[in-house]
Amino acid sequence: MRSNESDAQPKKVVTVPDLIGYKLQDRRIVMVTAYDYSAALIADRAGVDAILVGDSLGMMVLGHKNVLPVTLDDIIHHTRAVTAAARRALVVADLPFGAYQAGAQDALRSAVRLMKEAGARSVKMEGGAQIADAIELVTKSGIPVVGHLGLTPQSVHKFGGHKLQATTEAEASALVRDALAVEQAGAWAIVLEMVPAAAAMAVSRELSIPTIGIGAGPWCDGQVQVWHDLLALPPGRDFHHVKQYANLGDIAIDALKTYADEVRDGKFPTEEHSS
Ligand code: KIV
């Protein structure tokens, strides 16, 4: 089926209860990040279940060194573009650093903005037991929350870099405890980032809500990947936990070089491109 033909099909909107139900059906959740209208359109047409407007936006789109400078207004701006495109996929928006660390009321205020001003259908928050009260208040207010444990990039300086987490037995047990606290607080899923596969498996078995892994091995209930990493945009970023499904960065460079050559050589535009 060509992509424009699949567009003509009626879309069943993916909901939070659908995705929770996948775990019982032993069906994997597919999530990918997107930060703009055209990427979200492509992800939605490809049939992913959920699109994450992650604060990785800071590095992938805004040119920051880490996620810390990303603001709530940045996430709202980009989430609006994504929700304008996503007809089927569930759009989850990140609460960025500084938008919920002051406490539960702060988290609720920020989460409400993401739902009301940007059209997100769920939010994501980093942290375990220490933010359980915030997760509880946000979920009790009717806003579905995805938790995020393991390598939580908003704490990059505490970890001393983007490093594998939960590598000792004690840390792996603490990961399970935090995951249970996040589940009990009302989160509907938990992202597990950069933890050993065995630790992710232990968490996935312990919880009744789905885990969504990134760099966390094959036994999570779903996977999330960063758009730019899957498609090699730009080329040259090559991580152990990523599989590049296309090399669009190199394709784009070649295409733009050809365009530049053709303009310089007077081969484009021709009469064919003239009105
Ligand atoms: O911001 C992001 O893209 C994320 C994913 C890596 C899970 O949090």
Side-chain angles (χ1 to χ4, degrees), residues 183-228:
E183 176 177 63
Q184 276 153 22
W188 69 267
I190 299 183
V191 167
L192 293 176
E193 180 167 356
M194 295 291 287
V195 298
M201 180 170 68
V203 173
S204 306
R205 281 191 178 161
E206 202 66 39
L207 299 186
S208 52
I209 59 171
T211 57
I212 304 176
I214 173 166
W219 295 303
C220 291
D221 303 302
Q223 293 292 321
V224 56
Q225 288 283 319
V226 170
W227 174 270
H228 295 68

Side-chain angles (χ1 to χ4, degrees), residues 38-94:
S38 59
L41 211 58
I42 291 168
D44 203 59
R45 283 186 194 174
V48 305
D49 300 308
I51 299 175
L52 172 65
V53 187
D55 57 4
S56 52
L57 159 76
M59 286 108 90
M60 298 304 126
V61 176
L62 302 178
H64 300 314
K65 288 201 166 33
N66 56 48
V67 299
L68 299 182
V70 176
T71 65
L72 185 58
D73 285 336
D74 289 335
I75 299 280
I76 289 172
H77 180 75
H78 287 267
T79 303
R80 273 194 195 130
V82 168
T83 56
R87 290 162 56 195
R88 178 185 171 276
L90 182 88
V91 177
V92 180
D94 249 343

